Amino acid sequence: MDRRRFMAGTATATAGALVVFAGASPSSAQEASGTTAATGAAGSDGDHVKGLTAITQVFGAGQKLVAVAVEYDREIDARTLSTSTFTVTDRTVTKVYTNRSADLADRARYGRYVIVELSPDDTAAALWVTQQGGGTPPTGGTGTGTGDSGGGVGAGGPKVGDTTPGGTIVAAKATLTQAGTVTTAHGTQYPASSTALTTDAVKNLIVDDFQQFTFADPATGQTLNYNLFVPKDYNPRKSYPLVLFMHDASVVNVATEGPLVQGLGAVCWASPEDQARHEAFVLAPEYGSVVIDDDYLPSTLFDATANLVESVTQQYSIDRKRRYTTGQSMGAMMSLGLNIKYPDLFAAAFIVAGQWPEAQAAPLAKKDLWILVSADDTKAYPGEQAITAVIQEQGTQVSTALWDGQSTAAEFAADVRSMKAQRTPVNFAAFEAGTVVPTGSTTSAHMATWQVAYTIPGIRDWIMRQSM
């Protein structure tokens, strides 16, 4: 995976932009950022550090800076390293080891890269900061379409056409000091130094595997920026499934990469683990404005999204019987609405914290759905209950369950197996009241739902096995 160089400090509260300088040299990055890039550890042995790469990873709550890869001029002996060998400004060092590339893998006894892992729980780790229901408290009463603050649409909140970003992407940057002696594989010692070194490159795990494109829809006149993951060994002679992920309102009018860094909704399907089980395309549009609110009268970006799915299907070898949709809050509402208006577009849907008028819900009885919501979500929960009641009235079987939002991975896996065993086309799981928001967190139950939902691989496996 190529390392991408990012200008430090390009993300602002108004634009939330991530500016990428593909192939930019360390010197140009220094000039752009006004910082000192890694030019080597000062000492009698000369300059030995050739570069520092910030490594980022996406979690349920968003992208975080989780490690710094220090590239030396010679292979380093891992046995001489400890968590006290390096310090990183405002960060907690949790692990130090060598590797042969700038990757998170503690496998090599010797390597030119020293990986300095950092605690994702550090405040300074966060690269996605939302102003809606988590992180910075909302101002002006942001609505959600779910009756609580954070990430959606609704009365008193963002309306269709609103272009106000609800979050900010922070540039990944770290300052590191070699506080202890580093020894090469041949026994040469590089002494400690007081020189502070700043990262000059960024490696975004999984996020960098997506490509960015623009779709000009002739039918609606709308233009959509979007992210597309193409399977690593794509073979046009094979047929692949496609997953469409649609973000919530907090990501409106952020950078094109916004849907990839604010949570796991898109990147989870593109992880090496998921791709090993289910090779698939992943499509994640970035909406420049709110597409739908509680009036349920979407903008033309709604239809442009359906047209984008068709366009990508035509460009690649995608199985029309295995196209899937998922989304959170606004994106969940769009997933429901698209399944109603375009019944032949998707084989199945994963609906996370969203709702739709039950009077229009009857067509959903013919769809394969997995619905996940918090019982504390005062609008999406009763909204989804009303929808599933309509589905059952149409004669479709629905499995229901209450889950503990604080469950372990093994417990969630057991929960999923239990629902799968009922073999119903619609599964409706709700997190029990008081269980989805971590203790001490300011995140709303609405937003906390999708911070957990996309960490459960069993649901994704179920979706991928559905076909029209």
Side-chain angles (χ1 to χ4, degrees), residues 24 26 53 62 66 107 119 159 173-174 185 196 277 292 304 313 316 330 354 394 399 438 452 454:
T53 299
V66 297
R107 292 192 296 262
S119 172
K159 296 291 187 179
K173 182 174 65 174
R277 296 194 305 273
I292 191 166
T313 300
Y316 298 92
M330 182 183 81
Q394 296 295 312
S399 296
V452 177
Y454 291 104

Side-chain angles (χ1 to χ4, degrees), residues 241-245 269 280-284 323-326 464:
L242 175 144
V243 179
L244 167 70
F245 168 74
W269 309 87
F281 283 76
V282 185
L283 174 63
R323 296 184 300 196
Y324 312 109
T325 181
T326 186
M464 283 290 185

Side-chain angles (χ1 to χ4, degrees), residues 19 60 71 75 237 274:
V19 180
E71 181 183 5
E75 289 195 333
R237 292 186 294 275
D274 274 53

Side-chain angles (χ1 to χ4, degrees), residues 6-62:
F6 286 73
M7 179 191 294
T10 57
T12 65
T14 52
L18 246 170
V19 180
V20 180
F21 292 86
S25 67
S27 59
S28 64
Q30 295 170 42
E31 293 169 0
S33 65
T35 61
T36 302
T39 57
S44 59
D45 292 314
D47 295 340
H48 303 297
V49 176
K50 299 306 177 184
L52 267 70
T53 299
I55 300 177
T56 75
Q57 183 178 350
V58 180
F59 296 81

